[in-house]
């Protein structure tokens, strides 16, 4: 009997030790399904895009192209003036875009008071929403990294790729160099597009010469920006841009008749030598600089992002490669925005 009791005691002790060694803690067992490491958690991609009066169809097409070509979680910050916000909200909520995640943000043009010099040659460039990109931290306060896109773009690639653009330490933004892609050089020459600082800044002015920037330095295009908000705020980028806007009001420093760079010029100054590069295929530009000059269809099919910068927009006539843009356009449910076509 004693031997049997001893055997049972030994077996009981062994069973207790086994359970202590192999048992999964209750808290972990119950919560394992919900636990994710920071790397595994889905990262939201914030995309800022403006919806201006008269060109809301552009913003809609851009958003449609982004949303349709990615599996990533995208949060659209759609920026407008008070008078235009109801229109763009209704357009989204009454179309197939109603599934997107978005926030409509009102931009107060009073922040620009005294900072914009009137320019009769390109009055459309003075619209308040052209300067939204200067104020990204005010619009997207909870994000470390932000994408800004002009409204006249179409995204054919996965926006996740653009978001994954690496920014060098100390750089607040990444842009596309205007000299970066040999395939676009012929287009630049044919339409007379400026791709150096000479095309944007007035080198007759002492304040510009004092910058020490060679006029032949390659410019960049701020229609597509990947921005680091921590660096942007640390370097007080918005304040620097505003300083140059105010100086331009006083001294007329921008040769905007050449480059059309009312919003571009202060960025060229502030970010000179202090920005990272975007993959060239993520910003194929100049599609709006001529109603005749065209890229090859094969080149455009390979492009990740198309930009109709210039006067000739794909929702107007004349323009080039409008079929690529119309693939993503969603008609206005209210009927206010209409495409301009030869037969319209």
């Amino acid at each position: 009997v004693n031997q049997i009791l001893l055997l049972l005691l030994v077996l009981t002790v062994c069973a207790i030790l086994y359970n202590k060694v192999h048992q999964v803690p209750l808290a972990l067992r119950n919560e394992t399904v919900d636990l994710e490491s920071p790397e595994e958690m889905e990262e939201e991609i914030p995309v800022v895009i403006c919806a201006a009066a008269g060109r809301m169809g552009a913003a809609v097409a851009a958003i449609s192209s982004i949303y349709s070509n990615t599996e990533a979680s995208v949060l659209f910050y759609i920026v407008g003036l008070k008078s235009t916000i109801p229109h763009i909200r209704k357009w989204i909520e009454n179309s197939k875009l109603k599934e997107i995640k978005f926030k409509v943000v009102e931009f107060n043009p009073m922040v620009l008071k005294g900072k914009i010099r009137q320019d009769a040659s390109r009055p459309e460039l003075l619209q308040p929403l052209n300067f939204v990109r200067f104020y990204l931290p005010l619009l997207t306060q909870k994000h470390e990294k932000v994408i800004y896109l002009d409204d006249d773009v179409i995204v054919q690639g996965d926006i996740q790729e653009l978001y994954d653009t690496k920014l060098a330490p100390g750089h607040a933004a990444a842009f596309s160099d205007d000299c970066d892609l040999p395939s676009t050089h012929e287009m630049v020459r044919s339409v007379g597009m400026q791709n150096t600082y000479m095309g944007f800044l007035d080198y007759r002015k002492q304040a510009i010469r004092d910058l020490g920037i060679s006029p032949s330095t390659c410019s960049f295009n701020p229609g597509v920006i990947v921005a680091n908000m921590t660096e942007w705020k640390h370097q007080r980028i918005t304040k620097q841009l505003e300083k140059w806007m105010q100086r331009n009001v006083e001294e007329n420093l921008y040769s905007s008749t050449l480059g059309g760079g009312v919003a571009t010029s202060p960025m060229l100054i502030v970010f000179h030598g202090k920005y990272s590069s975007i993959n060239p295929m993520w910003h194929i530009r100049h599609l709006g600089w001529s109603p005749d000059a065209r890229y090859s269809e094969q080149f455009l099919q390979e492009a990740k992002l198309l930009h109709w910068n210039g006067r000739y927009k794909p929702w107007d006539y004349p323009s080039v490669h409008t079929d690529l843009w119309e693939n993503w356009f969603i008609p206005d449910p209210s009927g206010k925005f209409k495409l301009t076509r030869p037969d319209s």
Side-chain angles (χ1 to χ4, degrees), residues 3 5 27 44 60 66 69-70 83-84 87 120-121 138 204 217 298 310 317 343:
Q3 289 179 335
L5 289 174
E44 202 168 53
V60 167
I66 295 166
N69 287 307
T70 187
S83 59
T84 63
H87 186 186
S121 65
L138 301 179
R204 296 171 299 180
T217 300
Q298 180 180 351
Y317 180 82
D343 54 352

Side-chain angles (χ1 to χ4, degrees), residues 132-143:
V132 162
R133 71 198 88 186
F134 291 11
Y135 299 94
L136 293 178
L138 301 179
L139 304 170
T140 59
Q141 296 181 10
K142 71 172 185 175
H143 302 285

Side-chain angles (χ1 to χ4, degrees), residues 266-298:
M267 299 197 83
L268 291 176
I269 295 171
V270 170
F271 284 101
H272 174 252
K274 295 184 293 184
Y275 66 91
S276 298
S277 296
I278 290 173
N279 181 328
M281 295 306 288
W282 266 101
H283 195 176
I284 302 304
R285 319 184 271 295
H286 320 316
L287 276 74
W289 272 82
S290 167
D292 304 308
R294 301 175 66 92
Y295 288 115
S296 74
E297 292 302 321
Q298 180 180 351

